[in-house]
Amino acid sequence: DQQVKQNSPSLSVQEGRISILNCDYTNSMFDYFLWYKKYPAEGPTFLISISSIKDKNEDGRFTVFLNKSAKHLSLHIVPSQPGDSAVYFCAARHDRGSTLGRLYFGRGTQLTVWP
Amino acid sequence: KAGVTQTPRYLIKTRGQQVTLSCSPISGHRSVSWYQQTPGQGLQFLFEYFSETQRNKGNFPGRFSGRQFSNSRSEMNVSTLELGDSALYLCASSLRATSSTDTQYFGPGTRLTVL
C-alpha cells in the first residue's frame, strides 16, 4: 500500500530554470513531510521539511509547498544547478499508533539538470 | 558533529549465511531506524529502536532482527540469507524528542549482495 506517491519517475530541466517535483499522499494522519536527495550508493540527505500546520517552507533555493486539502506537496528548486541532479524522495510521517515515527517514502524522482 | 556511520559499507554473502550490520547514530540521538532499499520496492521500513527498545516494526519476516545498545548504537541481523535480501540497508538516527517534527538523518548505507 503506497501511501506516498511520486508519479513522475524522472524530470529533466535546464540549468537556471525552476525544477518542480511533486508528491501525493493518501493518509490524512500524516503531519510532517520531508524531502531527501540521494546520490547512487549513498544514503539520503535531508533537504527540507514542512509541518502540516504550514503551507510553505523556504530554505535558500529550495521551497516546499503543502496543500493539505489536495494531499499534495511539491518541492521547487530555483535556480536549478547541475549539482542538483540526483534522486529526490518525498517522505511523510505521523506520530500516532503503532507506526510511531516511521517514515513512508515515495519511489523517488530522478532529476537531471543539464547545462 | 559527525554524521551517522554504518559498517561495513559493502558485504558479499552466500545464501543461507547470516549477516550483522552496524550503525552509530549522531551524537545525542537516541532513536535509530533501519530501512531497506531495493529497485523494485523502494525504501521500506524495517524497525525503529529507542532507548534499547524496539518501538516499531515493518512488514519483514522474523529473519530480520535488530537491537540497540545503551550508547544508542544499533545492529541489525539477517539470518538465513536469501537472494532477495540483496539491497542497500540504510540506518537513520533522530533525537526522538516529544515534538513530531523530528528529522531522521541517514547514514551512507551498507550494500549487501547475496550470491
Side-chain angles (χ1 to χ4, degrees):
Chain A
D1 180 23
Q2 193 73 20
Q3 299 188 42
V4 178
K5 299 178 184 178
Q6 293 176 258
N7 292 320
S8 298
S10 63
L11 175 67
S12 182
V13 171
Q14 188 176 23
E15 181 179 7
R17 300 285 185 110
I18 183 171
S19 295
I20 300 177
L21 297 101
N22 294 303
C23 178
D24 297 295
Y25 61 96
T26 58
N27 190 337
S28 57
M29 289 200 298
F30 287 143
D31 55 15
Y32 192 52
F33 303 89
L34 308 93
W35 284 93
Y36 289 87
K37 172 181 175 181
K38 187 179 183 302
Y39 294 113
E42 294 185 10
T45 301
F46 170 71
L47 270 178
I48 191 169
S49 61
I50 187 167
S51 166
S52 60
I53 62 173
K54 296 184 176 181
D55 55 18
K56 177 182 174 182
N57 189 27
E58 272 185 272
D59 185 1
R61 296 186 298 115
F62 302 92
T63 303
V64 56
F65 296 92
L66 174 63
N67 183 334
K68 284 180 61 180
S69 60
K71 293 191 178 67
H72 177 84
L73 65 155
S74 60
L75 174 68
H76 292 210
I77 306 174
V78 184
S80 301
Q81 300 172 354
D84 295 330
S85 297
V87 177
Y88 288 77
F89 288 96
C90 170
R93 58 175 280 170
H94 62 78
D95 281 342
R96 305 176 201 181
S98 62
T99 56
L100 177 73
R102 168 183 172 176
L103 281 177
Y104 294 80
F105 282 90
R107 291 292 180 95
T109 296
Q110 171 70 57
L111 172 66
T112 302
V113 181
W114 48 279
Chain B
K1 196 181 257 191
V4 178
T5 58
Q6 292 186 245
T7 56
R9 291 293 311 276
Y10 302 92
L11 207 48
I12 299 175
K13 292 284 187 179
T14 56
R15 279 182 298 173
Q17 287 188 308
Q18 75 165 24
V19 67
T20 299
L21 312 181
S22 181
C23 171
S24 292
I26 292 171
S27 178
H29 285 194
R30 298 172 64 192
S31 167
V32 173
S33 300
W34 289 89
Y35 293 83
Q36 180 197 65
Q37 186 186 22
T38 59
Q41 297 297 320
L43 277 150
Q44 301 285 309
F45 172 77
L46 280 156
F47 27 65
E48 185 211 10
Y49 287 87
F50 179 75
S51 292
E52 302 177 65
T53 301
Q54 186 185 90
R55 296 197 301 185
N56 204 345
K57 190 177 191 309
N59 189 26
F60 278 82
R63 300 184 297 106
F64 291 82
S65 64
R67 59 177 175 168
Q68 187 181 35
F69 302 95
S70 58
N71 61 358
S72 295
R73 190 177 70 85
S74 177
E75 289 181 347
M76 68 162 280
N77 184 276
V78 188
S79 62
T80 319
L81 285 166
E82 301 177 359
L83 295 178
D85 297 333
S86 294
L88 181 67
Y89 289 88
L90 293 160
C91 166
S93 78
S94 65
L95 278 170
R96 288 313 286 149
T98 54
S99 168
S100 65
T101 57
D102 193 38
T103 298
Q104 292 187 12
Y105 296 90
F106 284 82
T110 294
R111 169 68 64 185
L112 172 64
T113 302
V114 182
L115 303 175

